[in-house]
Amino acid sequence: MLIKTYGCAVYGIEAIPITVETNIGRGINFHMVGLPDSAVKESHKRIKAAFSNAEFKYPGKEITVNLAPADIRKEGSAYDLTIAVGILAASDQINSEEVENYLIMGELSLEGSLRPIKGALPIAIKAKELGFKGFILPKQNENEVSIVEGIDVFGIDHIKELVDYFNGDTKLTPAVYKPSLNEEDFNTQQLDFSDVKGQENVKRALEIAAAGGHNILLVGPPGSGKTMLAKRLPSILPPLTIDEALETTKIHSVAGLISSNAGLMQNRPFRSPHHTVSDVALVGGGSNPKPGEISLAHNGILFLDELPEYKRQVLEVMRQPLEDRIVTISRAKMTVEYPSGFMLVASMNPSPSGNFYDPNDPNSDPEFIVKRYLNKVSGPLMDRIDLHIEVPAVKFDELSDERKGENSVVIRKRVVAARELQALRLKEMKGIHYNAQLSAKMIEKYCKIDTQGKQLIKTAMEKLGFSARSYARILKVSRTIADLDRSDKIKANHIAEAISFRSLDRDGWLN
């Protein structure tokens, strides 16, 4: 008897439907075809033990399982339940009439209980697109995918529940999404800018970066608060929209980073890889491509502490994703794409000794050593960072001041208001929501400046040696500063402030 059950393979962050054809005939053997990997091939051993412990009969006949389409490699243990249901239906242990109406996936333990799977969210979205009646999966993944409307999601703990359901002995209740975090919880869980003493100019720069989604570099001596400030940046970012939350959760789901019973991600990601990270770990890849840190930071922040300590090769592979906000990983048998629309926040010391260059201080590093240290980060990569901020050491009077600074909730309101202006201005632009995403044509349309502003930028370019890319960055940052000012026009003071945030573009400091 031939039975068809359905699952999905996940490539990139998209699911591809897989038909599992199970046939039971004369003989005693088990065959699996359709390009399965080792984990899939081993599934029949887990299924056989699960059947025995759950008191189901494993057919003593020839079982042939075909995973179609056969030219797509099937990987992982998530097909256990799909294959098990096919065997049960083909051996008349469950009613086969309803089986084909459901997409079924899950990893079986030897006792018949289910373990969570990776990529559950993109699979649920594909199941809805394909018109399945429901999606049956492990209970631990239930809340993660129940946000998807238009399809019933049934989470089960044991294979017996599924058998009883298809035989009409019990009913399964569709899962109802349970948010794991509300606005009040979000505010209490975040680190707050009110904890930071002094550094008002740096706080201002971070507010501008958050308002426009701009990349930012913090340069200062050890102990000046660079890491402390960077870790508080998520507290002033706008909340994730439903589309952003879905896309972010899909990436983390594929990577297997969604904890059991967790729902949709509601905090923007903050990824901080160590400087020993490899280029594959940062960008993504492997024989079976997986998302890297830049994709896991999508719609959030990628924080690179001590930027010059990262291998130059690792930093250079970020150049294309920083521009295109997508990373393409090509292999002989496949090409996958992962979103990489992240804010880059980096920090570094201004010199090997950790202090700013001072020609009057005999103990400071010589100028050529400082230049060599700064040039560990290439000019083209630095060009892609919109704001360069000098973070001075905090003075004692500021550290001992008991007064609290402006808190993150107040700053966040200004950031959200600026983002709303940008969203309204860019509503006709597909996939463009804030100023950092503006293309050259959009800059020309939305970042118009008057004669005084042009003269100001011209002078800065001539005296400070700015590149053409730096010019575009200045215009985009100026547009964000104007939005925070609730100004339709970009004024000279907005441009002047944006120019002040390009401190490392001085001619001769970076190649």
Side-chain angles (χ1 to χ4, degrees), residues 129-195:
E129 290 176 2
L130 295 173
F132 282 100
K133 184 177 179 181
F135 179 22
I136 299 174
L137 77 170
K139 190 79 170 179
Q140 295 97 319
N141 294 115
E142 180 184 69
N143 202 41
E144 173 190 340
V145 303
S146 55
I147 188 69
V148 180
E149 298 179 350
I151 186 170
D152 289 336
V153 173
F154 302 101
I156 60 174
D157 291 313
H158 199 279
I159 192 171
K160 280 185 177 180
E161 297 175 45
L162 183 144
V163 172
D164 290 342
Y165 175 66
F166 281 127
N167 286 337
D169 297 330
T170 187
K171 289 185 177 181
L172 294 178
T173 305
V176 177
Y177 178 66
K178 302 179 185 67
S180 55
L181 196 68
N182 58 36
E183 183 71 16
E184 186 177 341
D185 293 332
F186 174 85
N187 292 331
T188 57
Q189 286 185 16
Q190 298 291 314
L191 298 170
D192 201 279
F193 268 94
S194 62
D195 302 328

Side-chain angles (χ1 to χ4, degrees), residues 208 211-215 322-323 325 383-387 422 425 432 434-440 442-444 446-449 457 468-483 490 494-495 498 502:
I208 293 167
H214 301 290
N215 303 321
L322 277 170
E323 287 288 323
R325 298 182 180 271
D383 263 353
R384 289 167 168 81
I385 300 177
D386 301 347
L387 296 95
Q422 294 164 46
R425 183 186 304 125
I432 307 296
Y434 46 87
N435 291 333
Q437 298 174 312
L438 295 178
S439 65
M442 294 176 194
I443 291 172
E444 188 177 340
Y446 298 117
C447 302
K448 293 181 179 178
I449 54 177
I457 296 181
R469 186 179 279 115
S470 296
Y471 170 72
R473 305 283 171 188
I474 290 169
L475 288 178
K476 289 195 280 188
V477 172
S478 300
R479 179 67 269 171
T480 300
I481 295 170
D483 290 336
I490 299 175
H494 302 146
I495 295 171
R502 303 294 303 183

